[in-house]
Amino acid sequence: MSLFTVDLKNQPGELARLCEAMAGSGINLVLSATALDGGGIVVFIADDEPGAQAVLEDAGIQYAMRPALTVRMENQPGTGAATFRKLADAGVNADLLLPVRVSDDLFFAVICVDDQDKARRALGAQVVPGTLAT
């Protein structure tokens, strides 16, 4: 699975333009967006990665794709701390987190790390095989 990162202008309509382009091609997204220094950063996973790439290229939207892991955590205090401590103790840097599913009991997130093999070993069964795309 890959996580897409897109830089957009921080102005009305930019996020709508991205979402409309994807919806017009039948591509479902799980996304998060924030504004920083006059720009906007959107991160998302798509249920059709090649289709999302084609839409972004056709729309002239610059993007980056990064390999990502889906991790499962219990939805209770301290679980995130324990999860990211495991990564830190293994010497793994996590630099992006996208929540994709939250229930009363569980929290699933897509993360980008600098060493997926070490992250998989450190997190064990918390890493979800396959994808949790939309």
Side-chain angles (χ1 to χ4, degrees), residues 83-129:
T83 298
F84 292 104
R85 174 51 52 204
K86 288 178 192 175
L87 291 175
D89 289 348
V92 176
N93 185 45
D95 63 5
L96 209 151
L97 180 143
L98 173 65
V100 292
R101 192 174 298 160
V102 180
S103 72
D104 288 343
D105 299 321
L106 296 173
F107 174 83
F108 293 85
V110 173
I111 61 171
C112 291
V113 295
D114 62 355
D115 190 324
Q116 283 200 359
D117 292 333
K118 281 184 181 178
R120 286 179 190 279
R121 285 192 301 273
L123 298 178
Q126 281 186 265
V127 176
V128 178

Side-chain angles (χ1 to χ4, degrees), residues 51-98:
Q53 286 180 275
V55 167
L56 292 167
E57 289 167 8
D58 289 347
I61 298 172
Q62 297 291 322
Y63 69 95
M65 281 179 73
R66 297 185 48 206
L69 298 172
T70 301
V71 295
R72 175 188 313 108
M73 294 175 263
E74 292 180 21
N75 191 3
Q76 62 183 2
T79 302
T83 298
F84 292 104
R85 174 51 52 204
K86 288 178 192 175
L87 291 175
D89 289 348
V92 176
N93 185 45
D95 63 5
L96 209 151
L97 180 143
L98 173 65

